[in-house]
Amino acid sequence: VQLQASGGGLVQAGGSLRLSCAASGRTFSRYLMAWFRQAPGKEREFVAVNDWSGGNTLYADSVRGRFTISRDNAKNTVYLQMNSLKPEDTALYYCAARANRIVVSAMRRVDSYDYWGQGTQVTVSS
């Protein structure tokens, strides 16, 4: 599986961006699709995950209510709509995928994912 993330950019605080991640492969609907982010000097952290097969959608506490993850299985694409952006949302955003089922509690872990995109930079100015 190859993942191609796009949609990052520079936005003022309070603004919005929509990230996209296009995936190759024929069984996209079965994949667990997630977004992570990494700010300079910090560890990669979980943002959101969409488990279409299992009906689970999870968010990090820091983005819940502001970000929305969604997917279009016909287009093999997962999205991250980011509203009410804050300077602390500034980071390199990565999409990630996993082919096999895992328990919900493991969906937030970086090491649960087999495939990663190249990252797209989001910068929020104050």
Side-chain angles (χ1 to χ4, degrees):
V1 175
Q2 292 186 328
L3 303 176
Q4 181 71 39
S6 62
L10 173 63
V11 64
Q12 288 188 333
S16 299
L17 282 174
R18 188 176 82 154
L19 306 183
S20 300
C21 176
S24 62
R26 299 180 180 179
T27 58
F28 176 77
S29 63
R30 301 179 185 177
Y31 280 77
L32 194 66
M33 298 299 299
W35 288 96
F36 287 77
R37 67 187 181 186
Q38 189 167 17
K42 295 187 177 181
E43 294 186 350
R44 193 168 299 188
E45 66 175 5
F46 169 78
V47 175
V49 61
N50 179 279
D51 172 24
W52 188 80
S53 296
N56 297 295
T57 301
L58 304 177
Y59 295 95
D61 290 344
S62 58
V63 307
R64 187 177 294 112
R66 300 187 298 122
F67 291 10
T68 302
I69 187 171
S70 62
R71 66 197 291 164
D72 185 335
N73 289 334
K75 296 182 178 179
N76 281 15
T77 301
V78 64
Y79 304 98
L80 185 68
Q81 177 66 44
M82 305 185 295
N83 298 329
S84 302
L85 282 161
K86 304 175 181 180
E88 52 263 44
D89 294 319
T90 295
L92 192 59
Y93 282 71
Y94 296 91
C95 60
R98 178 186 171 94
N100 300 315
R101 299 287 300 153
I102 52 173
V103 295
V104 172
S105 59
M107 292 181 184
R108 300 170 184 265
R109 295 174 56 91
V110 171
D111 60 4
S112 292
Y113 294 86
D114 307 307
Y115 307 100
W116 292 86
Q118 83 288 3
T120 185
Q121 178 67 39
V122 172
T123 303
V124 185
S125 62
S126 58

